[in-house]
Amino acid sequence: MLEAAGKTRPIKKNQPLQNDLLLKALQGEHVDRPPVWMMRQAGRYLPEYMKIKSKYDFFTRVQTPELATAITLQPVDIIGTDAAIIFSDILVVPQAMGLEVEMNEGKGPVLPFTIQGMKDVEQLIVEEAHFHLQYVYDAISLCKQELNGRVPLIGFAGSPWTLLCYMVEGKGSKTFDKAKTFCFQQPEASHALLQSITTVTIAYLKEQIRAGADCVQLFDSWGGLWDKEDFAVFSLQYIEQIVDAVKEEAPVIVYAKGVWHSLPELQQTGAAALGLDWCNTPQTARALTQNKITLQGNYDPVKLLQPVAKIKEDVQQMINAFGVQRYIVNLGHGIIPSVPVEHARTFVEAVKSWKA
Ligand code: 1CP
């Protein structure tokens, strides 16, 4: 696997895809069945991932295009998903902006130096940051080459607000109260930070698309920590800028967890699709978006621990409720590590064998 080192080369963007269900769904074109992939589909529930994980630390896996490619392809080969998502992390952006990020086993990400005020914001790398992420573009190019048109490749980034959470708080949190307090007490510094992240993310996603990503997803994992009004101020307006700058180059999926109150506003951004968590119904999501946009989701990831017969039944019901057109089957958040591989495969197979 490692002998390909240094041989990555960009491939032609318009290489034909053998399975273009995801792109068709994103463009609102007719499909015979919906496409399926799973958020965090490459990861700890796969023994093949654990094997690579036991040999290389997190950022070595992320920064070595051959390793990132091998991990990205695993769910396509093992589970049979209709798309690959590049193996990386949202926190490579704060890293490229000059902040140290440690990935501690069992504890998740830790940023030893956090943003405390305007002085810290002013020291971040902005204009040049996307140049520090060449390894992501190389991984995308290599992945496209290895996929050889089998399925589309999804690029991604964190939303500015979700990245601010980690850059200010320094670690994961249930409430991100330090990050929210920073926004309330230092609005000028917080908007300067959100704007800097936005600028970097636009350049970063455009480079991912240039390297071969067929579409991109923006993860606003912590958007749901705000009420509707504050979400508009601290998250939505930056998502809007990113979608607007990127949408002409590739379709953008916006996944904002816990943000049902703003689905119509997210639809207005020009996103090709909206990702949904499981805390509301398909009928409500369709009504809120007037049946006019592709929706993605929204199976409760914990439900993958149920017996396989129940998973099959649930998938059938979920497709019937969302409808086959303008729909991408997915989980409502990332897959959890304790899910048996067989159950993940059942989820995907149930979509592939869906019958009206
Ligand atoms: O070594 C490991 O297995 C550590 C676990 C892990 C993995 C597999 C981390 C640490 N990141 C990743 C990869 C990753 N992260 C992907 C891979 C592509 C795929 O989906 O297959 C993606 C899309 C992400 C995105 C990501 N990272 C998000 C947004 C999605 C979400 O789940 O909400 C977030 C919030 C992160 C931060 C992060 N990185 C890792 C962890 C454990 C976390 C969450 C920390 C927290 O709880 O706050």
Side-chain angles (χ1 to χ4, degrees), residues 34-111:
V36 55
W37 69 281
M38 282 180 288
M39 288 195 279
R40 307 289 285 266
Q41 65 186 19
R44 287 174 296 169
Y45 73 104
L46 289 173
E48 291 82 356
Y49 175 79
M50 296 309 282
K51 216 167 140 190
I52 298 182
K53 182 177 155 86
S54 70
K55 289 196 210 146
Y56 307 96
D57 67 43
F58 186 76
F59 285 113
T60 304
R61 276 174 271 147
V62 165
Q63 291 166 5
T64 311
E66 293 72 23
L67 293 175
T69 296
I71 295 170
T72 302
L73 296 187
Q74 284 176 353
V76 179
D77 292 332
I78 300 165
I79 310 295
T81 50
D82 291 313
I85 176 162
I86 191 67
F87 182 76
S88 186
D89 197 83
I90 60 168
L91 297 172
V92 300
V93 166
Q95 248 178 355
M97 294 176 78
L99 286 185
E100 196 183 321
V101 180
E102 295 167 1
M103 205 53 87
N104 296 342
E105 188 55 45
K107 272 173 78 191
V110 173
L111 287 76

Side-chain angles (χ1 to χ4, degrees), residues 8 22 57 62-63 88 98 105 107 176 191 210 258 286 343:
T8 58
L22 178 72
D57 67 43
V62 165
Q63 291 166 5
S88 186
E105 188 55 45
K107 272 173 78 191
F176 283 102
H191 284 293
R210 204 162 297 145
R286 286 294 185 203
H343 290 212

Side-chain angles (χ1 to χ4, degrees), residues 101-132:
V101 180
E102 295 167 1
M103 205 53 87
N104 296 342
E105 188 55 45
K107 272 173 78 191
V110 173
L111 287 76
F113 304 98
T114 53
I115 301 292
Q116 304 288 327
M118 191 59 108
K119 270 211 174 74
D120 299 327
V121 177
E122 283 166 355
Q123 282 181 9
L124 290 168
I125 303 166
V126 180
E127 298 306 325
E128 314 261 286
H130 67 286
F131 295 126
H132 299 300

